[in-house]
Amino acid sequence: MTGSSAATDENAVHDAADLLLEVYRTGRPIEPLSPRYPEAGVEFAYRVQQAQVEQWVRDGEVIKGHKVGLASRAIQRQMGVGQPDFGHLTGGMFHLEHQPIPSGIFLQPRIEPEIAFVLGKPLTGPGVTVADAVRAVDFVLPALEVVDSRIRDWKIGIVDTIADNASSGGVILGSKPMSLNAVDLRLAGCTLHMDGALIATGAGGAVLGSPINALVWLANTVGPLGVTLEPGHVVLPGSMTRAFAVAPGQSVVANIGGIGSVTAIFDEEGES
């Protein structure tokens, strides 16, 4: 790549990042990025994501973990993509269960049940194995992830969602830690209830065959980028069901067999 084209490419990265950052400020979604940058691929999209993360850190945010997105066939079919991706979790994305979550901070939220890993040891790829990943996990928690999109009407392709921090929105963790050796992640069943009604069932095996596989994939994907998964960080491996739209005033409960339950409550629009 020539110096001129490299500079142009770098300008495009920061232009795309600025477009997405502006959505956080204005609350107004934008049109998909893909038509604006027709030559853009996955590498470009991750650079756009990283540019936003760097700005958030400059603004005082702290990276608290990572998420794997698009890890189940159900989510891939729903989103029209065919591969996993990853995003960053910041401190401001975490919300307490059973406590009202301000609905106004989201644009077009959807919710997903997951098994969250909390790391006790660092994981650095490439070359991470399942055994390495298991040794690195301190405990697991039931979790609900709020996915959100800065792209209007969720009209996303793989470049759009990666650039948009893997469509990250929020995280609600359950409060009872469970040892990894006390549960079979593949066979752990999940029920998802919204306002008391059962809306979906799933199992850990829907997440790349096992959620631990998603952790391995993440470590080996971010390692060559110079990123280590740090002790204390939370990793969301992917949803056990498809994602469901959630509205102000609704409550969502995920029950995960052998691990426990987690509840998210969204406040009515305008409540403080």
Side-chain angles (χ1 to χ4, degrees), residues 33-41:
L33 296 172
S34 305
R36 184 186 291 257
Y37 307 100
E39 303 302 316

Side-chain angles (χ1 to χ4, degrees), residues 86 123-128 216-229:
F86 73 85
L123 267 181
T124 306
V128 169
V216 171
W217 176 88
L218 177 65
N220 287 328
T221 299
V222 302
L225 303 176
V227 176
T228 295
L229 304 182

